Amino acid sequence: MMPMGLREQKARLVRYAIYEATLSLAEEVGYEAATIDQVADRAEVGVSTVYRYFENKDAILLAPIEEGIGALATSFASRPPDEDVPTALAHAISSVLDRSEEDRAAIRRLSAQIDLASGPRARLWDLRNRQRTLLEEAVLARLGADADPLWAAAAARTSTMVVEMAGENDRLDQSQTPYEFFRRTLSMLHGENPPLPAIVEPAPLPGD
């Protein structure tokens, strides 16, 4: 990876200052009540600078999630080419869930505000869908021409679901790490009594 230039470092610092200003204002006065003028003032930048980096307030709050949206697919694609898909998925998920306590606390702090903000909360679904799509495309690419699209879609959705569940659980129970939760969930899915619907014959419709 190329070292970050001074201009890039400055841009990252400005982006973070704007993000932190938005998050702290949301915590103090509420997300909806916080204005871009207030954000700019707290971040010690001009309003035009805020809009140079972000389209709107929702984009500011969701910036950390937006920036990491392709991490799972990228980690998966970087695995050795001869590694089977389930193993590559497990390593990819482990890499994105291997977070420091500081990072986990930052995610919990952000999630608490997203829960209270209708705009970012709705946009979050779009971002999660994009993450699933990127991972599904990466799975299809690894499987090659004979890939089963349904299998790839199920693999991507299951993987992203587990990642999302691990993040949600970390907000409620910090006694286990997201990675530990991931391992526990996988053990359940691979166990003797997996939490999956049974294969049954469809029930007859009334009058049949």
Side-chain angles (χ1 to χ4, degrees), residues 29-193:
V29 303
Y31 176 77
E32 302 298 340
T35 68
I36 292 295
D37 284 345
Q38 290 173 318
V39 169
D41 184 61
R42 180 163 296 193
E44 299 182 343
V45 298
V47 170
S48 61
T49 299
V50 175
Y51 284 115
R52 186 184 311 148
Y53 288 98
F54 299 100
E55 181 181 359
N56 51 43
K57 196 168 62 172
D58 289 358
I60 301 173
L61 194 65
L62 292 170
I65 298 174
E66 181 99 38
E67 290 167 2
I69 211 65
L72 185 58
T74 299
S75 179
F76 171 80
S78 69
R79 298 299 304 168
D82 59 343
E83 194 170 67
D84 62 82
V85 170
T87 302
L89 284 170
H91 284 297
I93 294 172
S94 298
S95 71
V96 300
L97 293 181
D98 185 18
R99 304 178 181 126
S100 67
E101 175 52 42
E102 182 180 359
D103 287 341
R104 289 169 61 194
I107 293 171
R108 290 195 294 268
R109 183 181 172 212
L110 171 58
S111 297
Q113 293 308 311
I114 291 176
D115 281 350
L116 301 173
S118 59
R121 192 168 64 245
R123 174 65 177 147
L124 181 60
W125 287 103
D126 293 335
L127 294 175
R128 286 177 170 176
N129 184 63
R130 192 195 309 172
Q131 176 167 261
R132 285 194 298 270
T133 300
L134 290 171
L135 183 58
E136 185 176 336
E137 291 171 350
V139 170
L140 284 169
R142 179 172 286 250
L143 291 173
D146 297 328
D148 179 352
L150 177 59
W151 193 95
R157 286 180 178 270
T158 302
S159 298
T160 53
M161 176 195 71
V162 171
V163 171
E164 290 164 14
M165 287 177 62
E168 291 165 2
N169 182 76
D170 194 46
R171 297 176 55 192
L172 304 173
D173 178 16
Q174 286 90 60
S175 66
Q176 58 182 335
T177 66
Y179 175 75
E180 290 168 341
F181 179 87
F182 159 61
R183 290 296 299 268
R184 178 186 168 199
T185 305
L186 275 194
S187 296
M188 194 180 299
L189 291 172
H190 286 283
E192 295 181 359
N193 186 29

